[in-house]
Amino acid sequence: MALDVRIFETVSPSRFISFTIPNPNSPSHLLRVAVLDSPIHSSPRVAAMLVPKHRETDWIFSTESGHLQLLLNLPNISRLILIGDDPEDLSNSPADDEILEQRVKPLVAALSPKTLFKEEVPFLIYEDDVVSSVELERSVGPYVGEMVIEDVEIEIDEEGTREFRRRLRFKRTPNLVQSDIKMVRTRGEEFEPQLTELVHPYLAPMVASLSLIGCDLKRGPKALCIGVGGGGLLSFLKLKLGFEVTGVEIDPEVLRIARRYFGLEERFASVHVGDGVDFLKRLDDDGSKFDVLMVDLDSSDPVHGVSAPPVEFVAKDVLLAARAVLVPCGTFYEELKDVFRGVFAELYEIDVGNGENFVLVATVSIRDGNSGFSMDNLAPVILKYVDAIQRI
């Protein structure tokens, strides 16, 4: 049945439609066209984007959730149209995007709301730091769903310096890198994880907040990490800072991947499979204590204004349980400032600097500025965030 373009005359919040058409550059090949209207009411502005070559099967461009995240990152755009090679028909497709853009402009105009002013719809260009990528495995976890493990080569500065990383991404939030570690060449073409460095944007600021701990940690500091992911934070705390680490991960498949691909070993951390909230409450009951509690959980709802942590984790009884498992000089990491101020003594914020992540640090007691975690133990990449800590 032919698609009636009149359905695109008005914006319908959260409506998602995809279809295929012959590629005007090569009619024997197909283009996939996907149209998504924003769930957030805004003026009827439209943007289009050509899917980058060789990224057609990437969840960022091939799924509704990836499409949604692209749209939500575009202020005042109510409809985003993606056009790219059909992921089912990628053989020998033509690669001239400039010609294709000109030839699909009438289609884009036809897919625009009737109320749109007679202005040309802009074509946006998707850019990131990935130079190349190799997929290692796709897997499905009972809680997080489908996920992909990939090795990527990225550009890390304007001079074109490149670095190899291993990444974990979830299909439910494909635009976010869940875990990211540096890979270093050992001998020949072999690579191994570099576990004494933190490259994920918000992990170094989280560790920098240890400078707020005002007690003597020579007795052997203990850390509780809820949400393991690839395990980079757990490994770093053990190997670089000498913490006794306990981790909690709800999805056993994520834990398997952390051990197989990201270098997490049992000698680095004691990891439990289970719900973080339930685990925290049980610890409260048995009197266990930790110097630091780090929470790295995200929401499964990509439309939610706060992607981390899940709403259920910031209930007051959960925060009180978190406070109870910390020694008086301990720290706790989370979001939602107003709720935290009602439970903890002091609240600090670190701007990660990537325009996306902020780290909040809540302390059980008022900080004693004359003592703290030894600066000698904090690497330069972490020390730069110590100066960025602001009390709020």
Side-chain angles (χ1 to χ4, degrees):
M1 182 172 66
L3 184 67
D4 186 352
V5 295
R6 290 178 295 181
I7 65 175
F8 298 105
E9 291 181 353
T10 59
V11 173
S12 179
S14 298
R15 180 176 60 190
F16 177 75
I17 298 175
S18 66
F19 55 92
T20 58
I21 61 171
N23 188 329
N25 284 351
S26 177
S28 62
H29 293 90
L30 295 176
L31 291 179
R32 174 183 179 268
V33 181
V35 183
L36 177 63
D37 288 345
S38 174
I40 303 170
H41 178 74
S42 60
S43 59
R45 295 185 60 195
V46 178
M49 181 184 297
L50 296 182
V51 176
K53 291 294 181 183
H54 311 301
R55 301 286 293 272
E56 295 87 356
T57 60
D58 193 311
W59 291 328
I60 296 175
F61 307 103
S62 63
T63 66
E64 183 178 353
S65 58
H67 195 148
L68 175 61
Q69 286 301 301
L70 290 173
L71 175 55
L72 293 178
N73 286 328
L74 299 172
N76 302 319
I77 297 297
S78 58
R79 176 174 293 171
L80 177 62
I81 303 170
L82 293 184
I83 303 173
D85 291 326
D86 182 6
E88 304 296 327
D89 180 35
L90 296 177
S91 59
N92 300 316
S93 59
D96 197 328
D97 282 352
E98 186 174 344
I99 295 176
L100 179 61
E101 179 179 321
Q102 294 300 317
R103 289 182 172 174
V104 298
K105 281 185 176 180
L107 170 65
V108 170
L111 297 177
S112 300
K114 189 175 182 180
T115 54
L116 185 69
F117 294 113
K118 299 300 181 181
E119 59 185 39
E120 188 169 302
V121 174
F123 274 76
L124 309 178
I125 298 175
Y126 181 85
E127 294 181 339
D128 60 13
D129 56 6
V130 176
V131 178
S132 62
S133 65
V134 176
E135 183 178 305
L136 301 180
E137 182 182 334
R138 290 201 181 205
S139 183
V140 179
Y143 288 92
V144 305
E146 194 171 353
M147 64 193 95
V148 63
I149 305 93
E150 56 193 3
D151 280 348
V152 299
E153 184 180 14
I154 65 170
E155 288 188 352
I156 60 174
D157 57 35
E158 296 180 355
E159 284 70 40
T161 305
R162 296 184 178 185
E163 190 170 279
F164 292 97
R165 302 276 183 85
R166 179 160 294 169
R167 291 179 169 177
L168 170 65
R169 291 192 294 136
F170 296 162
K171 186 176 183 179
R172 69 185 189 190
T173 51
N175 310 63
L176 301 177
V177 177
Q178 298 293 331
S179 295
D180 193 10
I181 60 171
K182 183 178 179 180
M183 301 295 291
V184 293
R185 194 185 300 272
T186 54
R187 54 185 180 276
E189 295 300 315
E190 296 182 9
F191 286 82
E192 66 178 21
Q194 175 57 270
L195 301 178
T196 57
E197 292 187 32
L198 295 173
V199 296
H200 208 290
Y202 60 80
L203 293 185
M206 287 177 68
V207 174
S209 299
L210 293 174
S211 62
L212 296 174
I213 294 179
C215 57
D216 183 8
L217 297 180
K218 293 180 180 179
R219 55 178 171 75
K222 297 174 66 176
L224 173 60
C225 299
I226 297 182
V228 171
L233 176 60
L234 284 69
S235 299
F236 181 90
L237 289 174
K238 173 63 177 179
L239 295 174
K240 197 70 175 178
L241 302 180
F243 273 80
E244 178 184 334
V245 184
T246 299
V248 186
E249 172 58 53
I250 195 170
D251 198 311
E253 184 63 8
V254 171
L255 187 55
R256 180 191 71 84
I257 286 170
R259 288 169 172 161
R260 178 173 181 181
Y261 293 103
F262 290 85
L264 180 64
E265 299 181 20
E266 292 187 11
R267 64 189 177 95
F268 299 158
S270 171
V271 181
H272 304 264
V273 176
D275 180 87
V277 172
D278 293 340
F279 189 85
L280 196 57
K281 291 180 176 179
R282 288 198 302 272
L283 286 178
D284 183 15
D285 292 337
D286 68 22
S288 298
K289 294 290 184 179
F290 293 86
D291 297 285
V292 60
L293 168 58
M294 296 186 176
V295 180
D296 188 8
L297 302 175
D298 67 351
S299 171
S300 59
D301 182 2
V303 183
H304 200 279
V306 179
S307 63
V311 174
E312 59 271 20
F313 206 91
V314 294
K316 191 167 185 178
D317 64 323
V318 179
L319 295 181
L320 288 171
R323 190 184 193 283
V325 303
L326 290 167
V327 297
C329 57
T331 59
F332 175 65
Y333 295 75
E334 268 293 19
E335 310 282 339
L336 301 185
K337 304 175 185 178
D338 291 339
V339 178
F340 280 24
R341 287 191 181 99
V343 176
F344 294 91
E346 292 185 331
L347 188 64
Y348 298 83
E349 181 182 67
I350 306 176
D351 184 346
V352 173
N354 64 353
E356 297 178 357
N357 300 114
F358 291 85
V359 173
L360 292 190
V361 188
T363 63
V364 171
S365 56
I366 296 176
R367 182 192 175 211
D368 178 5
N370 296 322
S371 61
F373 195 85
S374 171
M375 294 297 104
D376 294 336
N377 292 330
L378 298 179
V381 68
I382 293 170
L383 281 172
K384 73 175 184 178
Y385 292 106
V386 172
D387 294 333
I389 297 174
Q390 299 292 326
R391 184 175 178 181
I392 57 176

PDB file of all heavy atoms in Angstrom, residues 17 23 32 66 89 108 114 127 134 137 162 168 178 202 212-213 225 239 256 290 294 299 327 340 351 382:
ATOM      1  N   ILE A  17       7.883   6.803  11.761  1.00  0.00           N
ATOM      2  CA  ILE A  17       7.536   6.081  10.532  1.00  0.00           C
ATOM      3  C   ILE A  17       8.810   5.877   9.723  1.00  0.00           C
ATOM      4  O   ILE A  17       9.588   6.814   9.524  1.00  0.00           O
ATOM      5  CB  ILE A  17       6.505   6.866   9.688  1.00  0.00           C
ATOM      6  CG1 ILE A  17       5.200   7.052  10.470  1.00  0.00           C
ATOM      7  CG2 ILE A  17       6.238   6.154   8.366  1.00  0.00           C
ATOM      8  CD1 ILE A  17       4.189   7.929   9.748  1.00  0.00           C
ATOM      9  N   ASN A  23      16.863   4.419  -4.506  1.00  0.00           N
ATOM     10  CA  ASN A  23      17.902   5.436  -4.408  1.00  0.00           C
ATOM     11  C   ASN A  23      17.963   6.209  -5.727  1.00  0.00           C
ATOM     12  O   ASN A  23      18.212   5.619  -6.775  1.00  0.00           O
ATOM     13  CB  ASN A  23      19.246   4.767  -4.122  1.00  0.00           C
ATOM     14  CG  ASN A  23      20.352   5.758  -3.823  1.00  0.00           C
ATOM     15  OD1 ASN A  23      20.370   6.875  -4.329  1.00  0.00           O
ATOM     16  ND2 ASN A  23      21.302   5.341  -2.993  1.00  0.00           N
ATOM     17  N   ARG A  32      16.648   3.895   3.040  1.00  0.00           N
ATOM     18  CA  ARG A  32      15.742   3.850   4.185  1.00  0.00           C
ATOM     19  C   ARG A  32      15.488   5.281   4.642  1.00  0.00           C
ATOM     20  O   ARG A  32      16.434   6.040   4.878  1.00  0.00           O
ATOM     21  CB  ARG A  32      16.343   3.045   5.338  1.00  0.00           C
ATOM     22  CG  ARG A  32      15.507   3.066   6.626  1.00  0.00           C
ATOM     23  CD  ARG A  32      16.210   2.299   7.739  1.00  0.00           C
ATOM     24  NE  ARG A  32      15.456   2.329   8.987  1.00  0.00           N
ATOM     25  CZ  ARG A  32      15.610   3.245   9.953  1.00  0.00           C
ATOM     26  NH1 ARG A  32      16.494   4.214   9.786  1.00  0.00           N
ATOM     27  NH2 ARG A  32      14.893   3.192  11.052  1.00  0.00           N
ATOM     28  N   GLY A  66      17.758   5.356  19.003  1.00  0.00           N
ATOM     29  CA  GLY A  66      18.905   6.146  18.557  1.00  0.00           C
ATOM     30  C   GLY A  66      18.466   7.417  17.853  1.00  0.00           C
ATOM     31  O   GLY A  66      19.021   8.506  18.066  1.00  0.00           O
ATOM     32  N   ASP A  89      20.387  -3.665   2.286  1.00  0.00           N
ATOM     33  CA  ASP A  89      20.787  -3.577   0.879  1.00  0.00           C
ATOM     34  C   ASP A  89      21.988  -2.646   0.765  1.00  0.00           C
ATOM     35  O   ASP A  89      21.893  -1.543   0.242  1.00  0.00           O
ATOM     36  CB  ASP A  89      19.608  -3.053   0.036  1.00  0.00           C
ATOM     37  CG  ASP A  89      19.952  -2.935  -1.438  1.00  0.00           C
ATOM     38  OD1 ASP A  89      20.721  -3.776  -1.941  1.00  0.00           O
ATOM     39  OD2 ASP A  89      19.461  -1.980  -2.080  1.00  0.00           O
ATOM     40  N   VAL A 108      12.207  15.546   1.122  1.00  0.00           N
ATOM     41  CA  VAL A 108      12.250  16.153   2.448  1.00  0.00           C
ATOM     42  C   VAL A 108      11.175  17.233   2.572  1.00  0.00           C
ATOM     43  O   VAL A 108      10.495  17.350   3.603  1.00  0.00           O
ATOM     44  CB  VAL A 108      13.650  16.725   2.739  1.00  0.00           C
ATOM     45  CG1 VAL A 108      13.649  17.574   3.998  1.00  0.00           C
ATOM     46  CG2 VAL A 108      14.665  15.597   2.873  1.00  0.00           C
ATOM     47  N   LYS A 114       2.881  20.965   7.013  1.00  0.00           N
ATOM     48  CA  LYS A 114       2.238  21.943   6.136  1.00  0.00           C
ATOM     49  C   LYS A 114       2.408  23.354   6.658  1.00  0.00           C
ATOM     50  O   LYS A 114       2.460  24.329   5.897  1.00  0.00           O
ATOM     51  CB  LYS A 114       0.749  21.602   6.007  1.00  0.00           C
ATOM     52  CG  LYS A 114      -0.005  22.399   4.957  1.00  0.00           C
ATOM     53  CD  LYS A 114      -1.431  21.907   4.838  1.00  0.00           C
ATOM     54  CE  LYS A 114      -2.185  22.665   3.755  1.00  0.00           C
ATOM     55  NZ  LYS A 114      -3.599  22.185   3.632  1.00  0.00           N
ATOM     56  N   GLU A 127      28.870  14.037  13.195  1.00  0.00           N
ATOM     57  CA  GLU A 127      30.303  13.882  13.382  1.00  0.00           C
ATOM     58  C   GLU A 127      30.589  13.365  14.780  1.00  0.00           C
ATOM     59  O   GLU A 127      29.949  13.780  15.753  1.00  0.00           O
ATOM     60  CB  GLU A 127      31.033  15.224  13.179  1.00  0.00           C
ATOM     61  CG  GLU A 127      30.960  15.763  11.764  1.00  0.00           C
ATOM     62  CD  GLU A 127      31.717  17.068  11.600  1.00  0.00           C
ATOM     63  OE1 GLU A 127      31.948  17.736  12.635  1.00  0.00           O
ATOM     64  OE2 GLU A 127      32.087  17.414  10.474  1.00  0.00           O
ATOM     65  N   VAL A 134      35.418  -2.066  14.934  1.00  0.00           N
ATOM     66  CA  VAL A 134      35.289  -3.499  14.681  1.00  0.00           C
ATOM     67  C   VAL A 134      34.395  -4.082  15.768  1.00  0.00           C
ATOM     68  O   VAL A 134      34.675  -3.911  16.964  1.00  0.00           O
ATOM     69  CB  VAL A 134      36.655  -4.216  14.694  1.00  0.00           C
ATOM     70  CG1 VAL A 134      36.456  -5.722  14.521  1.00  0.00           C
ATOM     71  CG2 VAL A 134      37.555  -3.673  13.605  1.00  0.00           C
ATOM     72  N   GLU A 137      31.385  -8.545  19.561  1.00  0.00           N
ATOM     73  CA  GLU A 137      30.285  -9.444  19.934  1.00  0.00           C
ATOM     74  C   GLU A 137      29.012  -8.636  20.141  1.00  0.00           C
ATOM     75  O   GLU A 137      29.057  -7.496  20.603  1.00  0.00           O
ATOM     76  CB  GLU A 137      30.619 -10.214  21.227  1.00  0.00           C
ATOM     77  CG  GLU A 137      29.544 -11.211  21.645  1.00  0.00           C
ATOM     78  CD  GLU A 137      29.853 -11.932  22.935  1.00  0.00           C
ATOM     79  OE1 GLU A 137      31.059 -12.058  23.275  1.00  0.00           O
ATOM     80  OE2 GLU A 137      28.916 -12.377  23.622  1.00  0.00           O
ATOM     81  N   ARG A 162      45.579   9.605  17.463  1.00  0.00           N
ATOM     82  CA  ARG A 162      44.604   8.523  17.532  1.00  0.00           C
ATOM     83  C   ARG A 162      44.888   7.574  18.691  1.00  0.00           C
ATOM     84  O   ARG A 162      46.020   7.455  19.136  1.00  0.00           O
ATOM     85  CB  ARG A 162      44.561   7.746  16.206  1.00  0.00           C
ATOM     86  CG  ARG A 162      44.091   8.601  15.035  1.00  0.00           C
ATOM     87  CD  ARG A 162      43.949   7.801  13.759  1.00  0.00           C
ATOM     88  NE  ARG A 162      43.457   8.630  12.666  1.00  0.00           N
ATOM     89  CZ  ARG A 162      43.149   8.174  11.453  1.00  0.00           C
ATOM     90  NH1 ARG A 162      43.292   6.870  11.193  1.00  0.00           N
ATOM     91  NH2 ARG A 162      42.711   8.994  10.526  1.00  0.00           N
ATOM     92  N   LEU A 168      31.467  -0.558  25.288  1.00  0.00           N
ATOM     93  CA  LEU A 168      30.226  -1.309  25.486  1.00  0.00           C
ATOM     94  C   LEU A 168      29.064  -0.343  25.304  1.00  0.00           C
ATOM     95  O   LEU A 168      29.040   0.725  25.927  1.00  0.00           O
ATOM     96  CB  LEU A 168      30.186  -1.914  26.890  1.00  0.00           C
ATOM     97  CG  LEU A 168      28.859  -2.542  27.339  1.00  0.00           C
ATOM     98  CD1 LEU A 168      28.511  -3.768  26.497  1.00  0.00           C
ATOM     99  CD2 LEU A 168      28.907  -2.908  28.817  1.00  0.00           C
ATOM    100  N   GLN A 178      28.422   3.072  27.300  1.00  0.00           N
ATOM    101  CA  GLN A 178      28.250   2.629  28.688  1.00  0.00           C
ATOM    102  C   GLN A 178      29.586   2.424  29.378  1.00  0.00           C
ATOM    103  O   GLN A 178      29.736   2.769  30.553  1.00  0.00           O
ATOM    104  CB  GLN A 178      27.429   1.331  28.719  1.00  0.00           C
ATOM    105  CG  GLN A 178      26.033   1.465  28.162  1.00  0.00           C
ATOM    106  CD  GLN A 178      25.154   2.347  29.008  1.00  0.00           C
ATOM    107  OE1 GLN A 178      25.340   2.452  30.215  1.00  0.00           O
ATOM    108  NE2 GLN A 178      24.178   2.990  28.395  1.00  0.00           N
ATOM    109  N   TYR A 202      33.159  10.758  32.743  1.00  0.00           N
ATOM    110  CA  TYR A 202      32.786  11.136  34.100  1.00  0.00           C
ATOM    111  C   TYR A 202      33.478  10.331  35.193  1.00  0.00           C
ATOM    112  O   TYR A 202      33.336  10.635  36.380  1.00  0.00           O
ATOM    113  CB  TYR A 202      31.265  11.038  34.298  1.00  0.00           C
ATOM    114  CG  TYR A 202      30.662   9.670  34.073  1.00  0.00           C
ATOM    115  CD1 TYR A 202      30.735   8.689  35.056  1.00  0.00           C
ATOM    116  CD2 TYR A 202      30.012   9.369  32.890  1.00  0.00           C
ATOM    117  CE1 TYR A 202      30.183   7.438  34.858  1.00  0.00           C
ATOM    118  CE2 TYR A 202      29.445   8.115  32.680  1.00  0.00           C
ATOM    119  CZ  TYR A 202      29.527   7.161  33.667  1.00  0.00           C
ATOM    120  OH  TYR A 202      28.986   5.922  33.455  1.00  0.00           O
ATOM    121  N   LEU A 212      37.590  14.781  48.902  1.00  0.00           N
ATOM    122  CA  LEU A 212      36.698  15.316  49.936  1.00  0.00           C
ATOM    123  C   LEU A 212      36.649  14.435  51.167  1.00  0.00           C
ATOM    124  O   LEU A 212      36.094  14.824  52.192  1.00  0.00           O
ATOM    125  CB  LEU A 212      35.282  15.476  49.375  1.00  0.00           C
ATOM    126  CG  LEU A 212      35.127  16.485  48.222  1.00  0.00           C
ATOM    127  CD1 LEU A 212      33.721  16.437  47.674  1.00  0.00           C
ATOM    128  CD2 LEU A 212      35.477  17.883  48.695  1.00  0.00           C
ATOM    129  N   ILE A 213      37.174  13.218  51.057  1.00  0.00           N
ATOM    130  CA  ILE A 213      37.159  12.336  52.220  1.00  0.00           C
ATOM    131  C   ILE A 213      38.125  12.880  53.266  1.00  0.00           C
ATOM    132  O   ILE A 213      39.297  13.102  52.988  1.00  0.00           O
ATOM    133  CB  ILE A 213      37.552  10.895  51.827  1.00  0.00           C
ATOM    134  CG1 ILE A 213      36.492  10.288  50.907  1.00  0.00           C
ATOM    135  CG2 ILE A 213      37.725  10.024  53.067  1.00  0.00           C
ATOM    136  CD1 ILE A 213      36.801   8.889  50.444  1.00  0.00           C
ATOM    137  N   CYS A 225      30.583  -0.093  44.673  1.00  0.00           N
ATOM    138  CA  CYS A 225      30.207   0.419  43.354  1.00  0.00           C
ATOM    139  C   CYS A 225      28.933  -0.280  42.899  1.00  0.00           C
ATOM    140  O   CYS A 225      28.934  -1.498  42.667  1.00  0.00           O
ATOM    141  CB  CYS A 225      31.321   0.189  42.343  1.00  0.00           C
ATOM    142  SG  CYS A 225      32.884   1.018  42.754  1.00  0.00           S
ATOM    143  N   LEU A 239      43.630  -1.200  41.569  1.00  0.00           N
ATOM    144  CA  LEU A 239      45.007  -1.217  41.086  1.00  0.00           C
ATOM    145  C   LEU A 239      45.743   0.089  41.359  1.00  0.00           C
ATOM    146  O   LEU A 239      46.941   0.083  41.661  1.00  0.00           O
ATOM    147  CB  LEU A 239      45.028  -1.513  39.584  1.00  0.00           C
ATOM    148  CG  LEU A 239      44.529  -2.905  39.161  1.00  0.00           C
ATOM    149  CD1 LEU A 239      44.478  -3.006  37.652  1.00  0.00           C
ATOM    150  CD2 LEU A 239      45.450  -3.983  39.729  1.00  0.00           C
ATOM    151  N   ARG A 256      29.619 -10.914  32.675  1.00  0.00           N
ATOM    152  CA  ARG A 256      30.422 -11.828  31.843  1.00  0.00           C
ATOM    153  C   ARG A 256      31.248 -11.037  30.839  1.00  0.00           C
ATOM    154  O   ARG A 256      32.450 -11.307  30.621  1.00  0.00           O
ATOM    155  CB  ARG A 256      29.506 -12.799  31.099  1.00  0.00           C
ATOM    156  CG  ARG A 256      30.270 -13.788  30.196  1.00  0.00           C
ATOM    157  CD  ARG A 256      29.355 -14.554  29.267  1.00  0.00           C
ATOM    158  NE  ARG A 256      28.810 -13.718  28.209  1.00  0.00           N
ATOM    159  CZ  ARG A 256      29.454 -13.453  27.069  1.00  0.00           C
ATOM    160  NH1 ARG A 256      30.683 -13.904  26.867  1.00  0.00           N
ATOM    161  NH2 ARG A 256      28.880 -12.697  26.144  1.00  0.00           N
ATOM    162  N   PHE A 290      31.324   1.411  54.383  1.00  0.00           N
ATOM    163  CA  PHE A 290      32.238   1.713  53.288  1.00  0.00           C
ATOM    164  C   PHE A 290      32.670   3.170  53.394  1.00  0.00           C
ATOM    165  O   PHE A 290      31.960   4.011  53.933  1.00  0.00           O
ATOM    166  CB  PHE A 290      31.558   1.473  51.936  1.00  0.00           C
ATOM    167  CG  PHE A 290      31.250   0.024  51.657  1.00  0.00           C
ATOM    168  CD1 PHE A 290      30.060  -0.539  52.111  1.00  0.00           C
ATOM    169  CD2 PHE A 290      32.143  -0.772  50.963  1.00  0.00           C
ATOM    170  CE1 PHE A 290      29.774  -1.869  51.878  1.00  0.00           C
ATOM    171  CE2 PHE A 290      31.868  -2.101  50.723  1.00  0.00           C
ATOM    172  CZ  PHE A 290      30.684  -2.660  51.183  1.00  0.00           C
ATOM    173  N   MET A 294      29.825   4.597  45.120  1.00  0.00           N
ATOM    174  CA  MET A 294      29.734   5.171  43.782  1.00  0.00           C
ATOM    175  C   MET A 294      28.613   4.477  43.019  1.00  0.00           C
ATOM    176  O   MET A 294      28.594   3.251  42.908  1.00  0.00           O
ATOM    177  CB  MET A 294      31.062   5.026  43.039  1.00  0.00           C
ATOM    178  CG  MET A 294      32.206   5.797  43.674  1.00  0.00           C
ATOM    179  SD  MET A 294      33.702   5.745  42.689  1.00  0.00           S
ATOM    180  CE  MET A 294      34.772   6.828  43.638  1.00  0.00           C
ATOM    181  N   SER A 299      18.892   5.310  33.462  1.00  0.00           N
ATOM    182  CA  SER A 299      17.472   5.040  33.282  1.00  0.00           C
ATOM    183  C   SER A 299      17.266   4.374  31.932  1.00  0.00           C
ATOM    184  O   SER A 299      17.964   4.667  30.960  1.00  0.00           O
ATOM    185  CB  SER A 299      16.671   6.341  33.346  1.00  0.00           C
ATOM    186  OG  SER A 299      15.340   6.126  32.975  1.00  0.00           O
ATOM    187  N   VAL A 327      30.837   5.321  56.324  1.00  0.00           N
ATOM    188  CA  VAL A 327      31.462   5.799  57.542  1.00  0.00           C
ATOM    189  C   VAL A 327      31.256   7.311  57.595  1.00  0.00           C
ATOM    190  O   VAL A 327      30.983   7.940  56.568  1.00  0.00           O
ATOM    191  CB  VAL A 327      32.963   5.441  57.573  1.00  0.00           C
ATOM    192  CG1 VAL A 327      33.158   3.944  57.576  1.00  0.00           C
ATOM    193  CG2 VAL A 327      33.687   6.072  56.384  1.00  0.00           C
ATOM    194  N   PHE A 340      19.030  15.360  47.701  1.00  0.00           N
ATOM    195  CA  PHE A 340      20.260  15.064  48.438  1.00  0.00           C
ATOM    196  C   PHE A 340      20.476  16.030  49.593  1.00  0.00           C
ATOM    197  O   PHE A 340      20.986  15.667  50.650  1.00  0.00           O
ATOM    198  CB  PHE A 340      21.462  15.119  47.490  1.00  0.00           C
ATOM    199  CG  PHE A 340      21.618  13.877  46.668  1.00  0.00           C
ATOM    200  CD1 PHE A 340      20.537  13.057  46.412  1.00  0.00           C
ATOM    201  CD2 PHE A 340      22.848  13.530  46.154  1.00  0.00           C
ATOM    202  CE1 PHE A 340      20.670  11.923  45.652  1.00  0.00           C
ATOM    203  CE2 PHE A 340      22.998  12.390  45.380  1.00  0.00           C
ATOM    204  CZ  PHE A 340      21.909  11.575  45.136  1.00  0.00           C
ATOM    205  N   ASP A 351      31.679  19.768  36.984  1.00  0.00           N
ATOM    206  CA  ASP A 351      31.334  19.822  35.567  1.00  0.00           C
ATOM    207  C   ASP A 351      32.390  19.026  34.812  1.00  0.00           C
ATOM    208  O   ASP A 351      33.561  19.388  34.784  1.00  0.00           O
ATOM    209  CB  ASP A 351      31.311  21.275  35.095  1.00  0.00           C
ATOM    210  CG  ASP A 351      30.854  21.426  33.646  1.00  0.00           C
ATOM    211  OD1 ASP A 351      30.803  20.396  32.932  1.00  0.00           O
ATOM    212  OD2 ASP A 351      30.572  22.555  33.234  1.00  0.00           O
ATOM    213  N   ILE A 382      43.201  13.089  37.138  1.00  0.00           N
ATOM    214  CA  ILE A 382      42.161  13.212  38.155  1.00  0.00           C
ATOM    215  C   ILE A 382      42.317  14.522  38.927  1.00  0.00           C
ATOM    216  O   ILE A 382      41.344  15.190  39.252  1.00  0.00           O
ATOM    217  CB  ILE A 382      42.209  12.007  39.107  1.00  0.00           C
ATOM    218  CG1 ILE A 382      41.822  10.735  38.351  1.00  0.00           C
ATOM    219  CG2 ILE A 382      41.296  12.199  40.306  1.00  0.00           C
ATOM    220  CD1 ILE A 382      42.055   9.473  39.119  1.00  0.00           C
TER     221      ILE A 382
END
